[in-house]
Amino acid sequence: LLVVAETEIWPNLFRETKRTGAGIVMVNGRISDRTSGRYSALRLFFGPVLRYPDRILAQTADLRERFLRAGAPADRAIVGGNLKYDSAPAPAPEIPLLAGGKVWIAASTSADDRSAEEDAVIEAFRKMPGWKLVLAPRKPERFEEVARKLENAGIGFVRRSRMEDGSTANVLLLDTIGELSGLFAVADVVFVGGTLVARGGHNILEPAYFGKPIVIGPHMENFREIAEDFRAAGAVREIRDSSELASAVIQAAADREMGNRARTCADAKRGAVAIAADEIRAVYERSLPRYRRSLPGWLWLWPFAQVWKIGGRRRRAKDLRNQRRLATRVISIGNITVGGTGKTPLVVRAAQHLQENGFRPGVLTRGYGRRSPHELLTLAPGAEASVTHTGDEPQVLLRSGVAAVGIGADRYKVGLLLEQRLNVDIILLDDGFQHLRLARDLDIVLIDALKPFGEYELVPLGRLREPMEALARASVFVITRADTVSTTAAIEATLRQYNPHAPIFRSRVVPLEWVSAFTEERYPAGALPFDRTVAFCGLGNPRSFWQSLRELGISTLDSIEYGDHHQYTPREVRRLGLLGRGMRAEALLTTEKDLVNLCEHTEQVIAPLKLLWLRIGVEIENESEFLKLLAG
């Protein structure tokens, strides 16, 4: 999210921000009197630029109209109030020099080509015996110039930056930064600079918060609405020129209610911060940033993405022409991106529910990475088989013991075998969204909240298996790992662009327990008995495992990532053991999927290190409604 203030309208910055998918909010928006006509005249240029922000919070209704005349969309520009009304007063610094007598502050004094406000302040001060003055030039580069003016006028003064204990003078030159707003607390009257010279005025709200009478000149163009409110309430004294300054300060000091009216005006306009915060959060939650390749990289990979797109389109058309249907109900659980989406835990949970409700579920899976002479395999729930024959994900399914598992490239033939040999009466098609050769009764598509839409680009430009328009085929969406991000609303809004009707559910991974790989000892997920550990995993999205460790409060000595479906060689396991022992670790931590991919004799190779894997489950919001959809 990019937040810009007032009139910071930068075409290149806005365009590049939106190109990444991030949101833009303009807060405290204003277009000055001087530039308003220019923006309107150049509407053809500024209109496209002002369509980039998701929200424009103008200070006033009049300023909103100026944005509209410059080309901002009416549904994005709203009145958000002035943030300056919500500023908090700073604490007053201890300055004994100002104790006793009446004090007036000439705040943020400025100069233009014709005159300097300090000259008017010095002249007024000469007419005010018994008063003390704090003179605060707006720009630090003018501190020396103003000091010379006081010297030339023969007025004794003390510079705040050089003030010592015991310093005495009736004039304090405030040549420091950040103290002015706190000093308003000790003032009897405040003259706000930038108003006698043509500078458009400065902020009168800070002295108003302290309930101080305020004097201004005729130039308040930059704070027009604020000035109008204060004038209407009798909360400010306005002078026409410098000759009226001394008498105006003295008269303001005598009007005890003016300061109270100023405070009432300032307090009545508070609330802009809350509006801005709400709009910023809303835009943030609707925005989905994406990784964008550099132009040379994009140009190099674009042709390959087109080949992928054409090949995928032809394959899907061919599969649909040759599509076949099993006698049993088929539920596809898949995704639209390459890499992990938390699919296996959801398949296990779905099969468990079906089994608990009297079904005999079976899971159809390709068995990625298996090396087996058997083209088709069917295995009863809980059956033991080598990972070489099955692949790693079928091993996790078999270990759960909740469903029969059929493995093979031709899911229709394997499904027939599950029906005939193992008498299954409902089938879960694992990773089946793109496998259109087998007809399905329900298409569940998983969207990983950590990496939802694969940079919106097809492989190899991004991680999409097929164009976003394919989401229209889905019957149900499940946003996995939804608890790890605050952008699920943005993900849902994107899904609705392509599929207005499919119900959307959110799920999260739940760490259940740690299991010793060699002894089957079990430990609560949040009570790992080892302090010094090293973690490793080979997942499509390793961030999910690291996230689980963080949620459990586990800080590892090191963490090592491997590719998805990684088969660990003896050399790699030996290196893990050497790493752990070298760091004086007590145990290695991993996932169940990685456990089944470890080589033989791992226990002996990593000794004396322990090896624990994290058993996880999945929780689904409105789970009862989701589970009803499974049985049809």
Side-chain angles (χ1 to χ4, degrees):
L1 179 75
L2 170 69
V3 181
V4 295
E6 301 198 347
T7 52
E8 297 298 321
I9 301 171
W10 299 94
N12 287 340
L13 176 63
F14 284 14
R15 184 185 65 248
E16 290 302 300
T17 298
K18 295 308 292 184
R19 206 169 70 86
T20 69
I24 302 175
V25 178
M26 293 186 68
V27 299
N28 228 43
R30 60 182 293 270
I31 296 176
S32 68
D33 292 354
R34 183 173 55 86
T35 60
S36 178
R38 203 179 313 160
Y39 277 94
S40 298
L42 296 175
R43 179 187 177 95
L44 290 178
F45 172 77
F46 283 107
V49 178
L50 290 173
R51 283 195 286 272
Y52 285 124
D54 300 271
R55 223 26 162 191
I56 298 174
L57 306 181
Q59 294 179 17
T60 67
D62 179 58
L63 290 173
R64 176 180 180 272
E65 287 301 316
R66 294 183 185 183
F67 276 103
L68 297 183
R69 288 197 295 270
D75 61 337
R76 299 187 192 179
I78 65 172
V79 177
N82 192 326
L83 293 176
K84 293 182 185 295
Y85 278 112
D86 286 12
S87 59
E94 292 286 339
I95 302 181
L97 180 74
L98 300 177
K102 292 184 177 181
V103 177
W104 69 293
I105 295 177
S108 300
T109 54
S110 304
D112 60 16
D113 296 336
R114 293 177 295 179
S115 61
E117 287 178 324
E118 293 83 13
D119 295 330
V121 170
I122 291 171
E123 184 62 29
F125 180 69
R126 293 181 187 278
K127 303 174 184 177
M128 300 170 61
W131 282 78
K132 294 185 177 183
L133 168 67
V134 177
L135 180 52
R138 180 164 181 82
K139 294 187 177 181
E141 56 265 30
R142 298 190 62 244
F143 289 162
E144 294 299 330
E145 174 191 344
V146 176
R148 287 195 299 271
K149 286 180 179 292
L150 289 167
E151 290 171 354
N152 294 338
I155 294 177
F157 70 97
V158 173
R159 297 180 67 143
R160 170 64 168 147
S161 61
R162 301 174 188 174
M163 189 174 65
E164 299 176 354
D165 292 341
S167 296
T168 59
N170 286 329
V171 176
L172 174 66
L173 175 58
L174 193 66
D175 59 349
T176 57
I177 300 298
E179 290 189 300
L180 176 60
S181 63
L183 281 174
F184 289 138
V186 302
D188 291 282
V189 178
V190 176
F191 162 67
V192 175
T195 62
L196 280 175
V197 295
R199 290 299 184 190
H202 295 309
N203 184 13
I204 64 176
L205 295 173
E206 289 180 326
Y209 292 136
F210 288 96
K212 303 301 178 180
I214 300 166
V215 177
I216 60 172
H219 296 287
M220 282 292 288
E221 294 86 357
N222 292 342
F223 299 87
R224 182 185 303 278
E225 186 186 62
I226 295 175
E228 290 175 355
D229 289 345
F230 275 62
R231 291 189 194 105
V236 68
R237 183 171 293 274
E238 188 170 13
I239 59 177
R240 291 171 294 181
D241 55 47
S242 60
S243 65
E244 301 177 355
L245 181 57
S247 60
V249 171
I250 293 171
Q251 291 168 11
D255 187 347
R256 296 185 177 181
E257 290 303 314
M258 184 188 295
N260 292 332
R261 292 193 294 269
R263 181 188 287 124
T264 300
C265 279
D267 288 343
K269 293 288 187 177
R270 287 182 179 271
V273 165
I275 294 173
D278 288 344
E279 294 295 337
I280 286 169
R281 177 177 292 278
V283 172
Y284 174 76
E285 291 178 349
R286 293 197 306 267
S287 302
L288 282 178
R290 66 192 76 168
Y291 167 76
R292 300 305 296 260
R293 296 183 182 275
S294 63
L295 183 59
W298 189 90
L299 290 174
W300 167 249
L301 294 174
W302 184 84
F304 298 100
Q306 301 314 299
V307 172
W308 178 282
K309 182 177 182 179
I310 295 169
R313 185 187 302 144
R314 290 177 176 174
R315 184 180 64 254
R316 287 189 293 275
K318 179 182 177 182
D319 287 350
L320 285 172
R321 286 196 303 270
N322 300 312
Q323 191 178 73
R324 291 185 287 184
R325 179 176 293 277
L326 292 169
T328 54
R329 178 176 172 80
V330 174
I331 301 168
S332 167
I333 301 179
N335 51 39
I336 197 171
T337 59
V338 298
T341 54
K343 178 170 49 61
T344 301
L346 193 77
V347 172
V348 171
R349 178 68 188 101
Q352 180 185 30
H353 168 75
L354 293 169
Q355 184 191 58
E356 291 170 352
N357 283 271
F359 289 92
R360 295 182 298 279
V363 178
L364 288 178
T365 179
R366 179 180 51 166
Y368 180 86
R370 74 191 189 102
R371 299 183 300 276
S372 173
H374 306 291
E375 181 181 352
L376 307 175
L377 281 177
T378 56
L379 300 161
E384 293 186 3
S386 167
V387 68
T388 303
H389 289 291
T390 65
D392 51 13
E393 289 178 348
Q395 285 287 315
V396 176
L397 296 168
L398 286 169
R399 288 162 59 92
S400 71
V402 295
V405 177
I407 307 168
D410 190 329
R411 256 57 68 86
Y412 174 75
K413 289 184 178 179
V414 181
L416 287 176
L417 292 177
L418 284 177
E419 291 175 332
Q420 296 165 3
R421 295 179 180 177
L422 297 175
N423 201 29
V424 302
D425 54 13
I426 194 165
I427 287 178
L428 301 175
L429 177 58
D430 182 39
D431 199 12
F433 191 50
Q434 287 75 36
H435 189 79
L436 300 178
R437 280 179 288 172
L438 182 62
R440 69 285 315 280
D441 300 278
L442 192 71
D443 237 322
I444 300 173
V445 175
L446 275 53
I447 305 295
D448 182 5
L450 294 173
K451 294 181 178 180
F453 300 113
E455 294 82 49
Y456 296 84
E457 299 280 7
L458 290 168
V459 173
L461 271 175
R463 297 171 51 252
L464 282 178
R465 293 180 173 186
E466 51 184 320
M468 293 285 288
E469 290 75 15
L471 293 170
R473 300 199 314 263
S475 311
V476 178
F477 292 111
V478 178
I479 302 174
T480 60
R481 307 184 182 106
D483 60 316
T484 62
V485 301
S486 59
T487 53
T488 51
I491 295 172
E492 291 186 13
T494 302
L495 293 174
R496 286 291 174 244
Q497 294 176 25
Y498 298 94
N499 190 321
H501 306 297
I504 301 174
F505 297 88
R506 302 180 185 186
S507 73
R508 71 183 189 96
V509 171
V510 182
L512 299 177
E513 62 181 354
W514 289 100
V515 183
S516 172
F518 310 131
T519 66
E520 293 298 317
E521 290 180 89
R522 298 170 187 268
Y523 309 96
L528 188 68
F530 305 107
D531 295 323
R532 301 181 62 82
T533 59
V534 171
F536 69 95
C537 70
L539 304 174
N541 188 352
R543 285 175 59 190
S544 60
F545 185 45
W546 310 143
Q547 177 73 21
S548 293
L549 295 181
R550 284 192 294 271
E551 289 175 359
L552 294 171
I554 296 173
S555 178
T556 61
L557 301 172
D558 203 351
S559 54
I560 302 98
E561 293 181 10
Y562 297 89
D564 197 14
H565 303 284
H566 187 71
Q567 301 282 332
Y568 294 86
T569 65
R571 172 179 285 187
E572 288 169 331
V573 173
R574 190 175 298 111
R575 286 177 180 168
L576 286 170
L578 288 172
L579 174 67
R581 289 191 292 268
M583 301 183 86
R584 291 182 295 171
E586 302 167 89
L588 302 179
L589 308 179
T590 193
T591 72
E592 186 175 16
K593 182 176 176 180
D594 291 284
L595 175 73
V596 300
N597 281 322
L598 291 171
C599 65
E600 293 184 16
H601 311 301
T602 292
E603 181 177 8
Q604 292 80 10
V605 172
I606 67 171
L609 295 171
K610 308 295 184 183
L611 176 65
L612 290 89
W613 59 273
L614 182 62
R615 190 167 75 86
I616 61 173
V618 62
E619 286 185 356
I620 304 171
E621 287 186 13
N622 302 318
E623 186 177 53
S624 59
E625 294 182 25
F626 173 76
L627 296 176
K628 284 179 184 177
L629 295 171
L630 298 179

